[in-house]
Amino acid sequence: MMYNVKHKQIYLFFLLAFVFISCKQSNRPDISNIKVDIKIERFDKELFASKDKNTSLTNAALSSKYGFFYDDYLHKMIGSPEYNNDEILSSLFKDQAYTDLTKEVDSVYPNLKVQEEDLTETFKYIKYYYPNAKIPKIISFVSGFAYQMPVGDNYLGIGLDMFLGKNSKFYGAIVQSVPLYLSRRFAPEYIVPRVADTYAHEELFAEPDENRTLLSKMIFQGKILYFLDQVLPENIADSTKIGYSSQQLQWTQNFEGDIWAYFLENNFLYETDYQKIQVFLSEGPFTPGLGENRDSAPKLGVWTGWQIVRKYMAENPKVTLQQLMAENDAQKILNKSKYKPKQK
């Protein structure tokens, strides 16, 4: 009899798991008929493959193929307008650091198939909600840690040297200019969320000029993160979307009520002095004034805005994603969210 009971329990678990998975998937729209196929153009590979070829021919070929991106790469990312293209290329190809870094990038990213598949899914969802959204060329490159994700005329760049993995030997050497709390996120799993986040900010949702209060900025950033909830592959963790470590995410969840009380008690929500509110919106190792031993998470305004928006959408199921993103009344979203997390 014991065997049967166990067998039934296992069967029940699988049944529940199946139901859970089915429910989760059915919450998302059907995107199977949306035609999107993202291919990341490997400028980094093409450039390095031209290292020992005629510089003028290389310049002509790359200029023709990559247009505005190529011009920005040479004159804004790695060189300057005072030098011509041939001079910049010659100098780059002689630089051993460029060779070493490009070889490292190539060993971590022999191909970008996983990223292309996830970006294809993401942009299918984006096209479902915003059919007129224009998908830029997505181009990978190496710039010596100068640029991670530039946006230019019809392109979005991915600086692969800034996604080598948090333990890369290169990041210890640049700690003076790039602190560890940032380089911790220079890892492959951050590429797709960073592309989606950058695209949302730069191409779809410009922040209104009238957003001056902390609350309005919290809700705006919260809407962007909620948008990412809807379009990114479902296996991407919340911590990766916002750039928290798992400990930081746990901290915010443990102290959600205390964080909210802190904003209310100090009258921060309607503060418009950017010097006072930017600490709750900016990157950093922690948030000053909250937590013990510097264990608080950074960007607590952004995280709280995200939770308010999630609660608002849960409380108002008839509101569509498009209606949410177009709603600029932060006070209305807060009121209708009924957001009141309990303090510990």
Side-chain angles (χ1 to χ4, degrees):
M1 285 298 291
M2 195 63 188
Y3 171 77
N4 286 339
V5 171
K6 278 189 177 174
H7 184 71
K8 282 180 181 171
Q9 283 179 329
I10 290 168
Y11 175 75
L12 184 63
F13 170 76
F14 278 116
L15 185 66
L16 288 170
F18 176 73
V19 169
F20 174 71
I21 290 164
S22 301
C23 289
K24 193 168 184 184
Q25 288 176 337
S26 66
N27 288 339
R28 286 206 160 189
D30 179 6
I31 54 168
S32 55
N33 290 328
I34 295 175
K35 300 280 187 286
V36 171
D37 185 20
I38 299 294
K39 289 283 181 266
I40 300 169
E41 298 185 38
R42 292 297 300 261
F43 174 78
D44 54 305
K45 279 183 179 281
E46 285 188 57
L47 180 63
F48 191 70
S50 306
K51 189 169 178 285
D52 298 318
K53 295 178 183 172
N54 179 284
T55 309
S56 295
L57 292 177
T58 294
N59 177 58
L62 293 176
S63 180
S64 172
K65 180 170 180 179
Y66 288 100
F68 289 114
F69 169 80
Y70 181 66
D71 197 55
D72 288 347
Y73 179 78
L74 288 190
H75 298 292
K76 293 179 183 173
M77 298 186 212
I78 64 161
S80 62
E82 299 93 74
Y83 298 96
N84 67 40
N85 292 7
D86 282 17
E87 287 171 327
I88 294 170
L89 286 178
S90 296
S91 174
L92 182 69
F93 290 150
K94 286 176 194 157
D95 187 345
Q96 188 59 40
Y98 163 72
T99 296
D100 293 344
L101 188 55
T102 304
K103 284 182 176 176
E104 181 74 6
V105 164
D106 212 41
S107 71
V108 176
Y109 297 105
N111 63 67
L112 292 167
K113 284 195 176 72
V114 172
Q115 288 77 17
E116 288 172 339
E117 285 171 11
D118 283 354
L119 284 172
T120 294
E121 181 184 339
T122 297
F123 276 101
K124 280 187 176 187
Y125 281 117
I126 290 173
K127 285 291 238 181
Y128 173 85
Y129 291 111
Y130 294 92
N132 295 327
K134 192 177 177 191
I135 302 173
K137 279 186 186 179
I138 300 179
I139 302 169
S140 65
F141 65 94
V142 171
S143 70
F145 317 112
Y147 287 84
Q148 188 179 44
M149 203 154 283
V151 175
D153 198 328
N154 195 33
Y155 75 77
L156 189 154
I158 302 173
L160 291 179
D161 49 329
M162 297 183 82
F163 292 101
L164 291 173
K166 63 181 179 180
N167 297 321
S168 171
K169 63 189 178 192
F170 288 97
Y171 299 148
I174 60 167
V175 73
Q176 294 302 317
S177 54
V178 182
L180 290 173
Y181 70 81
L182 285 178
S183 63
R184 175 182 61 73
R185 298 195 304 247
F186 289 0
E189 65 267 23
Y190 283 93
I191 289 181
V192 173
R194 286 286 296 117
V195 169
D197 180 71
T198 301
Y199 181 81
H201 276 99
E202 297 291 335
E203 300 294 331
L204 293 179
F205 312 115
E207 182 168 14
D209 289 338
E210 58 269 23
N211 276 14
R212 300 269 187 237
T213 65
L214 176 61
L215 177 64
S216 64
K217 290 179 177 299
M218 285 167 63
I219 297 295
F220 175 76
Q221 297 299 344
K223 291 196 303 181
I224 298 280
L225 280 160
Y226 185 84
F227 175 78
L228 297 187
D229 286 336
Q230 312 311 309
V231 301
L232 286 172
E234 289 180 274
N235 62 345
I236 292 179
D238 283 357
S239 54
T240 309
K241 289 174 198 164
I242 195 169
Y244 282 173
S245 66
S246 52
Q247 292 92 332
Q248 287 172 334
L249 184 67
Q250 190 64 57
W251 188 91
T252 56
Q253 290 167 341
N254 289 347
F255 295 104
E256 185 174 358
D258 300 274
I259 297 163
W260 184 236
Y262 180 79
F263 286 138
L264 296 179
E265 287 161 11
N266 290 282
N267 297 316
F268 282 133
L269 292 186
Y270 305 103
E271 179 61 67
T272 56
D273 182 341
Y274 194 70
Q275 292 300 315
K276 290 182 181 173
I277 64 178
Q278 59 93 19
V279 70
F280 304 117
L281 304 166
S282 308
E283 300 290 359
F286 60 94
T287 298
L290 278 148
E292 297 173 6
N293 303 319
R294 299 182 167 192
D295 62 352
S296 61
K299 298 195 295 191
L300 289 177
V302 177
W303 186 81
T304 303
W306 190 13
Q307 308 321 305
I308 293 169
V309 171
R310 282 176 163 178
K311 185 80 166 36
Y312 170 75
M313 293 302 277
E315 293 283 338
N316 302 274
K318 290 186 177 174
V319 174
T320 65
L321 179 64
Q322 295 93 327
Q323 286 169 334
L324 168 71
M325 301 312 291
E327 178 58 77
N328 290 324
D329 188 339
Q331 189 64 53
K332 174 183 168 184
I333 290 175
L334 174 60
N335 293 348
K336 291 199 165 187
S337 73
K338 302 179 181 150
Y339 183 73
K340 288 186 179 67
K342 289 186 172 61
Q343 281 182 263
K344 290 280 187 207

